Amino acid sequence: MSAKNTCPICGGNKVKGTTTFTVDLGFGVVVVRNVPALVCDQCGTGRIADEIADEIAERLEMTVNDARKRHRQVEATAYMPA
Ligand SMILES: [Zn+2]
């Protein structure tokens, strides 16, 4: 088993799933749900898969910019695959 597929925290197996990201902007918090990730089947720790990390980062940035413009204290959104 490669280290890439093993959870660094508990050593459990990582499986494809989704995770929730929270970004603290100071004035508020942005929550993005359903982000594709490798999720540990034991402790639930999620990590964005390398192959989509750039795309996810771009989308997170867009969501954060939008929330900043609207001065929302809490912005919750769901990731939509392209
Ligand atoms: Zn784990």
Side-chain angles (χ1 to χ4, degrees), residues 12-61:
N13 291 323
K14 284 187 170 180
V15 295
K16 281 190 178 173
T18 59
T19 190
T20 300
F21 277 92
T22 306
V23 185
D24 192 336
L25 300 174
F27 66 83
V29 174
V30 173
V31 179
V32 186
R33 302 184 64 214
N34 296 327
V35 179
L38 294 172
V39 182
C40 176
D41 65 359
Q42 286 191 43
C43 71
T45 298
R47 182 178 172 281
I48 298 176
D50 291 338
E51 59 266 34
I52 58 164
D54 287 349
E55 190 199 339
I56 297 289
E58 226 168 79
R59 283 166 182 254
L60 282 176
E61 203 182 318

